[in-house]
Amino acid sequence: MRVVQVAPFYYPIIGGVEKVVKEISEFLVNKGHEVFVVTYNRDRRHITNFKPVEDINGVKVIRVKPLLIWSHGSYSPSIPKIVKSLNPDIVHVHVWRHPHVFQLSEIGSVKILQPHSPFYNIGQVGYITYIYYKFIDNLLGKSIIGKYNIISMTPFEQEILIKKFGMNSKLIPNGVDDKLFSISSKGGDFYLYIGRISNEKNILTMLRAYEKSNVKRPLILAGPDNGLAKEVIKYIRVHNINAKYIGEVTEEDKINLLSRCRALVNPSPYEGFGLTLLEAEAIGKPTIIVGHGGQEYAAPPDKASIRVNNDVESLSEAFIRMEDDIFI
């Protein structure tokens, strides 16, 4: 069987969606299927430095030069032609509202859409992006999304899709490698944030809350810089807090950090899922989450996480509570 996955970004770009697409693609290759990934030749900072065609672990990756780019969005008029030329049995399209979702809605193959629950609040994405979201959802959503077989990651996403578009979906949560369950927890040396260093992740609120908590364990931040790293580093230096940004890390280093942390902190007020939360829990680490969304499904409050409101005081109290050995 020939499967074509279409996504905004692909490895070596790091992120939750990117990891899901990579894991699905390589799993299918190992099962003997032919897999292509059609994506855009850019990273999140609008830099192009990839081969247009390459083989990555048996997956044939085609990177298309975008005609138009904005934030995390890309548009290329050649996407439909390229996908059709591959004569796929299945087209698996990722991330709702990206132009390729609309461009491929009439293709004759079996079509799957995995929206990845991009229903962020206005404070995370800003007014312009939020208006774009509303425009797409209200004017085009129902006519396009119904042309796909839809995969939801959480019951929360299923409810949103029914409410917004009147569409049912198949619940298939993200998962983690079984080997994580055999990794030993090595202690609680520090608190850990892993993810993009960007405004929508609410990182500065986390830093303010950590500073207010006065906990003694350091806070380590790891992940690719999406334009906020300078401000984060400056805040740490100016306020002289015991925190450090160590940049993007390898998968091996990420697992090592998770095994040694006291707890993983996800300060984003809304997440579509929260794959790193699931990875931390598999290793046996508690988590701190903020707000409501897929993070509550990935890290159920009072079972795998302390959930707090999106304010400095609440998150600060969560750091203090996590110092209690009852959570370890």
Side-chain angles (χ1 to χ4, degrees), residues 72-142:
H72 298 333
S74 306
Y75 167 73
S76 171
S78 62
I79 289 286
K81 182 178 179 181
I82 290 171
V83 173
K84 288 177 183 178
S85 73
L86 297 173
N87 193 28
D89 297 295
I90 295 175
V91 177
H92 189 163
V93 179
H94 295 267
V95 189
W96 171 240
R97 301 194 193 98
H98 280 264
H100 56 253
V101 178
F102 305 95
Q103 292 173 283
L104 298 171
S105 63
E106 299 294 341
I107 198 167
S109 309
V110 173
K111 297 185 294 293
I112 298 170
L113 171 62
Q114 195 164 348
H116 292 276
S117 201
F119 303 111
Y120 301 100
N121 62 52
I122 193 169
Q124 288 179 277
V125 298
Y127 286 101
I128 294 176
T129 299
Y130 192 73
I131 290 170
Y132 169 74
Y133 284 178
K134 288 291 187 182
F135 172 80
I136 293 294
D137 290 354
N138 293 334
L139 295 184
L140 299 175
K142 289 184 179 179

Side-chain angles (χ1 to χ4, degrees), residues 12-16 44-45 192-198 201 203 206 220-230 232-233 244-251 253-254 257 264-265 276:
I13 297 172
I14 302 298
R44 287 191 176 86
R45 303 195 72 183
L192 178 65
Y193 167 83
I194 295 181
R196 295 196 302 275
I197 309 301
S198 57
K201 296 299 185 179
I203 292 171
M206 176 181 66
I220 293 178
L221 298 85
D225 175 23
N226 276 192
L228 193 66
K230 286 184 178 179
V232 166
I233 293 169
K244 184 179 182 180
Y245 170 52
I246 62 174
E248 189 172 330
V249 295
T250 66
E251 187 71 12
D253 287 339
K254 180 184 75 172
L257 287 167
L264 179 72
V265 187
T276 309

Side-chain angles (χ1 to χ4, degrees), residues 63-308:
R63 301 186 195 271
V64 181
K65 182 178 180 180
L67 178 66
L68 179 66
I69 58 177
W70 65 96
S71 182
H72 298 333
S74 306
Y75 167 73
S76 171
S78 62
I79 289 286
K81 182 178 179 181
I82 290 171
V83 173
K84 288 177 183 178
S85 73
L86 297 173
N87 193 28
D89 297 295
I90 295 175
V91 177
H92 189 163
V93 179
H94 295 267
V95 189
W96 171 240
R97 301 194 193 98
H98 280 264
H100 56 253
V101 178
F102 305 95
Q103 292 173 283
L104 298 171
S105 63
E106 299 294 341
I107 198 167
S109 309
V110 173
K111 297 185 294 293
I112 298 170
L113 171 62
Q114 195 164 348
H116 292 276
S117 201
F119 303 111
Y120 301 100
N121 62 52
I122 193 169
Q124 288 179 277
V125 298
Y127 286 101
I128 294 176
T129 299
Y130 192 73
I131 290 170
Y132 169 74
Y133 284 178
K134 288 291 187 182
F135 172 80
I136 293 294
D137 290 354
N138 293 334
L139 295 184
L140 299 175
K142 289 184 179 179
S143 64
I144 297 297
I145 206 166
K147 297 178 180 180
Y148 288 90
N149 300 285
I150 307 172
I151 294 174
S152 290
M153 300 182 295
T154 68
F156 181 78
E157 183 177 17
Q158 283 187 308
E159 292 175 9
I160 291 176
L161 292 172
I162 290 173
K163 183 177 179 180
K164 279 183 173 287
F165 310 116
M167 292 302 303
N168 292 316
S169 57
K170 181 71 172 179
L171 177 62
I172 305 178
N174 291 332
V176 296
D177 196 313
D178 289 346
K179 69 181 182 182
L180 294 182
F181 291 93
S182 63
I183 294 175
S184 62
S185 175
K186 299 175 182 177
D189 301 338
F190 49 84
Y191 289 96
L192 178 65
Y193 167 83
I194 295 181
R196 295 196 302 275
I197 309 301
S198 57
N199 282 315
E200 71 266 23
K201 296 299 185 179
N202 205 29
I203 292 171
L204 292 177
T205 297
M206 176 181 66
L207 288 174
R208 295 184 185 108
Y210 172 75
E211 179 184 15
K212 182 177 177 61
S213 73
N214 287 317
V215 299
K216 302 304 180 184
R217 299 174 210 269
L219 171 64
I220 293 178
L221 298 85
D225 175 23
N226 276 192
L228 193 66
K230 286 184 178 179
E231 189 171 351
V232 166
I233 293 169
K234 180 180 178 181
Y235 187 94
I236 291 171
R237 176 176 53 81
V238 169
H239 292 260
N240 192 31
I241 59 177
N242 191 16
K244 184 179 182 180
Y245 170 52
I246 62 174
E248 189 172 330
V249 295
T250 66
E251 187 71 12
E252 181 179 358
D253 287 339
K254 180 184 75 172
I255 300 305
N256 181 47
L257 287 167
L258 286 171
S259 73
R260 294 191 295 112
C261 72
R262 176 73 170 187
L264 179 72
V265 187
N266 187 325
S268 176
Y270 173 82
E271 286 284 333
F273 187 81
L275 190 57
T276 309
L277 292 169
L278 211 60
E279 292 171 331
E281 293 152 26
I283 296 172
K285 295 296 182 176
T287 58
I288 298 173
I289 61 173
V290 171
H292 301 281
Q295 65 267 40
E296 292 183 286
Y297 182 75
D302 301 322
K303 295 180 180 179
S305 70
I306 296 175
R307 192 204 70 79
V308 299

